[in-house]
Amino acid sequence: MSAVHNENDIAVTTRIRIARNIKSIPYPRKMTAAQAENVIKAVWDAFDNLPIKSTLTLYRMDELSSLEKKSMVERHLISTELENSKVPSAVIINGDETICIMINEEDHIRIQVFSEGLDTKTAYDSARKIEAVLSETITFDKDEEFGYLTTCPTNAGTGLRASVMLHLPAINSTKNVSPLLKWAANLGMTVRGLYGEGSKASGALFQLSNQITLGISEEEIISRFNAAACSLISEERRICADLFERNKYDLSDKCLRSLGILKNAYMISSNEAMNLVSNVCLGANSGIIKNIDNNALRKSLFTVMPATLLKNEGNLKERDRDVKRAQILQSVLADS
Amino acid sequence: MSAVHNENDIAVTTRIRIARNIKSIPYPRKMTAAQAENVIKAVWDAFDNLPIKSTLTLYRMDELSSLEKKSMVERHLISTELENSKVPSAVIINGDETICIMINEEDHIRIQVFSEGLDTKTAYDSARKIEAVLSETITFDKDEEFGYLTTCPTNAGTGLRASVMLHLPAINSTKNVSPLLKWAANLGMTVRGLYGEGSKASGALFQLSNQITLGISEEEIISRFNAAACSLISEERRICADLFERNKYDLSDKCLRSLGILKNAYMISSNEAMNLVSNVCLGANSGIIKNIDNNALRKSLFTVMPATLLKNEGNLKERDRDVKRAQILQSVLADS
């Protein structure tokens, strides 16, 4: 069961993450500032004399403004743990932000590669290449029996975590996602809402990721993960078709009203933006709304989140931020 | 103080109503069926041999379907009293529905003439001409001292009632219309919400009309009425400008969202339609929304009311009626 098409009506982004630590240097929670600096230098220097280096930028956390860091968190480039890191830490990001290496987060090195839709192959191949580059000059901490060692044992073994951001408005609208969580746990996966409180996800954005990293090959992890993602996508499609079949009027009305508000409102909060975009994409997937580029619209969401908007648009008061957000989303809709 | 411009950004329709009864025939609440038939015949025959007759149609209440009668009530052509009349009764309506004579409602004859915006002159001149036609063949019941006699003493004297339907979204949004009611009473006028419960008018449509018909000339009634209407319209404009000044963001957002929903929703109830149109017209009056023909939009409301919609569009289920209503309003917006 492989994702030949990237299913990007429902799958937004795939992320492959490989956790590694450097042998003989204490792990981030126990390291000195000097040791932390050594890790940053070792990782950055590993790319010396390689063509890829020109595409990479090293951002030291202590040199980024709080706004820049928050914006990186919003765009899922760095974790809040790295944002708030007390030891010298950094992130290496390439030009199109598909490669992002966190340094001195929970582990010394967290290689992250992003691909569009559900596409583990592209992301995994790229992450493996980066790991190979690093292993040329860095000796990773590894146990003969367990494999790669990590701060948290749940990452040990392969150190590999695959995840995909899925837009599941139909499943979300059933308001009962607990069977989904149980189903995922049975497959060794977790599903969590990316925004919003509790089990109900704001914007219906969920993240599926593998839980088991130990005692299983990397290929097996990817294969099981793809199977789980595909079956979740099928389930979303099934429920979506069923909703449309049983409740065409209400579904059409909800999606079309959201489109009308998105196209016309003077102010839109980031939370509302997520829900409106979610409904419009649901409408596009159900055939209710024509000529919508789901992925362009969903990606634009990340440019209108509070910190990213402020970073890009300068110092705006809260209401002007909501006005600017509405204008940006409206121009994306006009172009799509 | 006269309405030179017809103020039709705020004033929807003016109505002049003249109540008359025929001498020597018992009033409707006490008449026999045969006497009622005589009244219908006398009024209808009064137009014989006049050019106007070819533009008029006589509708007998007992020959109209319940749907046709309800639709006439929705369009303010007849009263619910006439709709539910127990004696033979009728209404004479001209082609463009600006003239509408109720026969055997509370009084034998209720001449009603409608004009667009605030325009008492056109309506009053036309109503007087009709009264003159009727008086050629009919002797009205009149008292030397009091003037024309009516079933309800509040209509006696001139028998003249002027009213105007006003769209007052700014006043309505202040949520406190009681000072308005008091102000009107002091001027011998009444103001009431045309739709919705209590003092809060659904769609912000209000009716201003004169209360005093006795001991005052017809010209004086019209003049005082025009003055009251103009000052109410000024007050609406003042509050509207003030709202815009103090709360541009929220006002813009409310009006633009309503426009978005009106343009895109799949289903719209008649109550929601009134409120959406009200907000869009408020937006147009505040300069927030461009290129909206307020009057075309407000008039379209009367074509999408439940009974009128069913009468025009055939037997639709409730949800299909809401779908049809949305389509009709969207085509009006597309044309305007």
Side-chain angles (χ1 to χ4, degrees):
Chain A
M1 202 170 184
S2 76
V4 179
H5 307 295
N6 74 359
E7 318 278 5
N8 72 8
D9 52 336
I10 288 172
V12 184
T13 350
T14 299
R15 185 186 68 184
I16 293 291
R17 200 207 65 200
I18 295 176
R20 293 290 184 267
N21 287 283
I22 303 178
K23 198 174 162 81
S24 321
I25 300 183
Y27 283 15
R29 287 173 190 172
K30 294 181 176 172
M31 76 202 322
T32 64
Q35 288 165 332
E37 294 291 357
N38 287 343
V39 173
I40 296 175
K41 187 169 173 357
V43 175
W44 185 231
D45 290 351
F47 294 101
D48 280 353
N49 307 319
L50 293 176
I52 192 179
K53 184 129 190 180
S54 67
T55 69
L56 301 175
T57 307
L58 177 84
Y59 300 95
R60 289 182 60 96
M61 285 302 120
D62 52 12
E63 289 173 358
L64 290 175
S65 71
S66 140
L67 198 59
E68 286 166 321
K69 285 189 278 190
K70 278 201 190 314
S71 170
M72 284 183 179
V73 171
E74 283 176 353
R75 290 175 291 145
H76 298 260
L77 295 172
I78 67 170
S79 61
T80 50
E81 179 152 352
L82 193 71
E83 178 196 3
N84 301 313
S85 166
K86 300 290 177 230
V87 295
S89 55
V91 62
I92 295 171
I93 302 177
N94 72 339
D96 61 6
E97 300 186 342
T98 52
I99 295 171
C100 175
I101 305 165
M102 293 193 289
I103 305 171
N104 297 334
E105 199 239 27
E106 186 181 293
D107 294 303
H108 289 146
I109 305 167
R110 289 261 174 119
I111 302 164
Q112 301 180 104
V113 178
F114 300 92
S115 59
E116 198 154 304
L118 175 61
D119 179 6
T120 44
K121 185 172 175 6
T122 301
Y124 179 64
D125 289 351
S126 169
R128 283 307 300 267
K129 274 182 201 150
I130 291 162
E131 198 237 6
V133 165
L134 297 179
S135 71
E136 292 285 318
T137 54
I138 293 170
T139 305
F140 296 133
D141 202 10
K142 194 174 178 183
D143 178 275
E144 281 296 307
E145 194 183 344
F146 291 118
Y148 295 101
L149 299 177
T150 51
T151 295
C152 179
T154 59
N155 295 313
T158 56
L160 177 69
R161 180 141 294 154
S163 60
V164 62
M165 187 191 294
L166 296 171
H167 179 232
L168 306 174
I171 288 173
N172 198 44
S173 76
T174 62
K175 297 194 168 51
N176 182 9
V177 293
S178 61
L180 187 62
L181 306 183
K182 208 174 278 178
W183 164 87
N186 283 339
L187 292 176
M189 307 282 153
T190 53
V191 178
R192 65 183 182 93
L194 271 179
Y195 302 97
E197 300 290 307
S199 65
K200 183 113 198 293
S202 187
L205 289 171
F206 290 84
Q207 183 175 273
L208 172 76
S209 54
N210 65 304
Q211 272 304 88
I212 298 165
T213 59
L214 187 71
I216 175 174
S217 72
E218 301 198 335
E219 290 65 27
E220 188 67 17
I221 289 173
I222 297 291
S223 157
R224 286 192 196 175
F225 171 78
N226 276 336
C230 286
S231 82
L232 202 45
I233 289 169
S234 299
E235 181 69 357
E236 169 67 17
R237 288 199 214 291
R238 188 187 67 73
I239 295 179
C240 181
D242 186 51
L243 276 180
F244 188 74
E245 181 73 25
R246 283 188 300 112
N247 220 346
K248 182 188 162 225
Y249 285 79
D250 288 333
L251 189 68
S252 300
D253 197 46
K254 180 170 92 167
C255 298
L256 288 166
R257 278 169 187 257
S258 294
L259 179 67
I261 292 170
L262 199 55
K263 274 184 168 174
N264 290 277
Y266 186 64
M267 300 189 281
I268 300 179
S269 73
S270 57
N271 190 53
E272 187 186 19
M274 283 199 284
N275 290 324
L276 293 173
V277 166
S278 172
N279 291 340
V280 169
C281 291
L282 173 61
N285 290 353
S286 314
I288 294 164
I289 301 175
K290 311 287 180 202
N291 303 322
I292 291 287
D293 181 343
N294 273 12
N295 248 21
L297 195 53
R298 281 192 297 234
K299 272 186 195 160
S300 70
L301 275 181
F302 295 97
T303 70
V304 297
M305 288 193 176
T308 306
L309 194 70
L310 279 182
K311 184 177 80 69
N312 295 339
E313 305 290 339
N315 196 16
L316 295 170
K317 285 180 188 156
E318 193 182 338
R319 307 194 105 193
D320 291 313
R321 214 181 304 168
D322 288 347
V323 172
K324 191 54 155 175
R325 182 176 295 112
Q327 289 168 350
I328 292 173
L329 292 169
Q330 281 153 22
S331 76
V332 171
L333 270 172
D335 292 344
S336 82
Chain B
M1 200 171 184
S2 75
V4 178
H5 306 294
N6 74 0
E7 316 278 7
N8 72 11
D9 53 335
I10 288 173
V12 184
T13 350
T14 299
R15 186 187 68 185
I16 294 290
R17 200 207 64 200
I18 296 176
R20 292 291 184 266
N21 287 283
I22 303 177
K23 199 175 162 82
S24 320
I25 300 183
Y27 284 15
R29 286 173 189 174
K30 294 180 175 175
M31 76 201 322
T32 64
Q35 289 165 332
E37 294 291 355
N38 287 343
V39 173
I40 296 174
K41 188 170 174 358
V43 175
W44 186 232
D45 289 351
F47 295 100
D48 279 352
N49 305 320
L50 294 176
I52 193 180
K53 183 130 191 179
S54 67
T55 70
L56 302 175
T57 307
L58 177 84
Y59 300 94
R60 291 182 58 95
M61 286 301 120
D62 53 10
E63 289 173 359
L64 290 175
S65 70
S66 138
L67 198 60
E68 286 167 322
K69 285 189 279 191
K70 280 202 187 316
S71 169
M72 286 183 177
V73 171
E74 283 175 352
R75 289 175 292 147
H76 299 261
L77 295 172
I78 67 170
S79 62
T80 50
E81 178 152 351
L82 193 70
E83 178 196 4
N84 301 313
S85 167
K86 302 288 178 230
V87 295
S89 55
V91 62
I92 295 171
I93 302 177
N94 73 339
D96 61 7
E97 299 186 343
T98 53
I99 295 171
C100 174
I101 306 164
M102 293 192 289
I103 306 171
N104 297 334
E105 199 240 27
E106 187 182 291
D107 294 304
H108 289 147
I109 304 167
R110 290 259 172 120
I111 302 165
Q112 302 179 104
V113 178
F114 301 91
S115 60
E116 199 155 305
L118 175 62
D119 179 5
T120 44
K121 184 170 174 5
T122 302
Y124 180 63
D125 289 352
S126 170
R128 285 305 301 268
K129 276 183 200 151
I130 292 162
E131 199 237 5
V133 165
L134 296 180
S135 70
E136 293 285 318
T137 54
I138 293 170
T139 306
F140 297 134
D141 202 9
K142 195 175 179 182
D143 178 274
E144 281 297 307
E145 193 184 341
F146 292 118
Y148 295 101
L149 299 176
T150 52
T151 295
C152 178
T154 59
N155 296 312
T158 57
L160 177 68
R161 180 141 292 154
S163 60
V164 61
M165 187 191 295
L166 296 171
H167 179 231
L168 306 174
I171 289 173
N172 198 45
S173 77
T174 63
K175 299 197 167 50
N176 182 8
V177 294
S178 61
L180 187 64
L181 305 183
K182 208 174 278 178
W183 164 88
N186 284 338
L187 294 174
M189 307 282 154
T190 53
V191 178
R192 64 182 182 94
L194 270 179
Y195 302 96
E197 300 290 307
S199 65
K200 182 114 198 292
S202 189
L205 290 170
F206 291 84
Q207 184 175 274
L208 171 77
S209 54
N210 65 306
Q211 272 304 89
I212 299 165
T213 59
L214 187 71
I216 175 174
S217 74
E218 300 200 334
E219 289 66 27
E220 188 66 18
I221 288 173
I222 297 291
S223 159
R224 288 192 197 175
F225 171 79
N226 275 336
C230 286
S231 80
L232 202 44
I233 289 169
S234 299
E235 181 68 359
E236 170 67 17
R237 288 199 214 288
R238 189 187 66 73
I239 296 180
C240 182
D242 186 52
L243 274 180
F244 187 74
E245 180 72 26
R246 284 188 299 111
N247 219 346
K248 183 189 162 226
Y249 284 79
D250 287 333
L251 189 67
S252 299
D253 197 46
K254 180 171 91 165
C255 298
L256 287 166
R257 278 169 188 259
S258 294
L259 179 66
I261 292 169
L262 200 55
K263 275 185 168 173
N264 289 277
Y266 186 65
M267 300 189 282
I268 301 178
S269 73
S270 56
N271 190 55
E272 187 186 19
M274 282 199 284
N275 290 324
L276 292 173
V277 166
S278 173
N279 291 339
V280 169
C281 291
L282 174 61
N285 290 353
S286 314
I288 294 165
I289 300 175
K290 310 287 180 204
N291 303 322
I292 291 287
D293 181 344
N294 273 12
N295 249 19
L297 196 52
R298 281 192 295 235
K299 271 185 195 160
S300 70
L301 276 181
F302 295 97
T303 69
V304 297
M305 288 191 175
T308 306
L309 193 69
L310 278 182
K311 185 178 79 68
N312 294 340
E313 304 292 340
N315 196 17
L316 294 171
K317 285 180 188 156
E318 194 181 338
R319 308 195 104 191
D320 290 312
R321 214 181 304 168
D322 288 347
V323 171
K324 192 55 159 177
R325 181 177 294 111
Q327 289 168 352
I328 292 172
L329 293 168
Q330 281 152 22
S331 76
V332 171
L333 272 172
D335 292 344
S336 84

